[in-house]
Amino acid sequence: MASNRAAFIETPKGQIVVRDIDIPEPGKGEVLVKVLACAIQPADAKIARLAMIPLEYPAILGSPVAGIVEALGAGVTKVAIGERVVCGTKVFSHKKAKYGGLQHFSVVDESEVVEV
């Protein structure tokens, strides 16, 4: 498996920095996606600039994503490793970096995944 690189906001209203991190592990009902494209929504810019919602810092924003299924968490049956998918992320609901899309590998919920 390759390395993971991500765009982080280190602190509320902080600067964005890019650095290497560990590849996150998908949990039950989750899918690890090798991200090939990620949208940058207006909400991402507002949250980064204004710290409008509480996040776990350092934070990774970004949703939705498109990519290739890299690994499956327990119980995932909707997709298989190697399939091309698009999906939203759980970054705004779960507020943890592993769910942000602005990284090479992102964890998404199986219910959000749509095959391409």
Side-chain angles (χ1 to χ4, degrees):
M1 200 178 284
S3 63
N4 196 16
R5 197 151 175 83
F8 282 95
I9 300 170
E10 302 246 321
T11 61
K13 300 180 185 179
Q15 296 294 316
I16 295 174
V17 296
V18 177
R19 62 181 164 90
D20 292 327
I21 59 168
D22 292 335
I23 296 173
E25 294 287 327
K28 182 178 180 182
E30 295 179 334
V31 176
L32 180 67
V33 174
K34 180 179 181 181
V35 177
L36 301 177
C38 178
I40 300 175
Q41 303 291 337
D44 292 318
K46 287 180 182 177
I47 290 166
R49 190 177 66 248
L50 304 173
M52 294 172 38
I53 63 173
L55 295 172
E56 183 179 284
Y57 288 91
I60 300 172
L61 300 176
S63 183
V65 297
I68 299 169
V69 175
E70 187 76 15
L72 305 174
V76 173
T77 59
K78 186 176 180 180
V79 293
I81 293 172
E83 290 184 325
R84 295 181 324 145
V85 296
V86 295
C87 48
T89 69
K90 301 191 297 186
V91 67
F92 296 126
S93 61
H94 286 62
K95 300 170 177 59
K96 295 187 183 294
K98 79 179 205 172
Y99 299 116
L102 292 172
Q103 58 185 321
H104 286 235
F105 295 92
S106 181
V107 173
V108 300
D109 193 87
E110 176 183 24
S111 66
E112 294 267 341
V113 175
V114 177
E115 290 180 63
V116 175

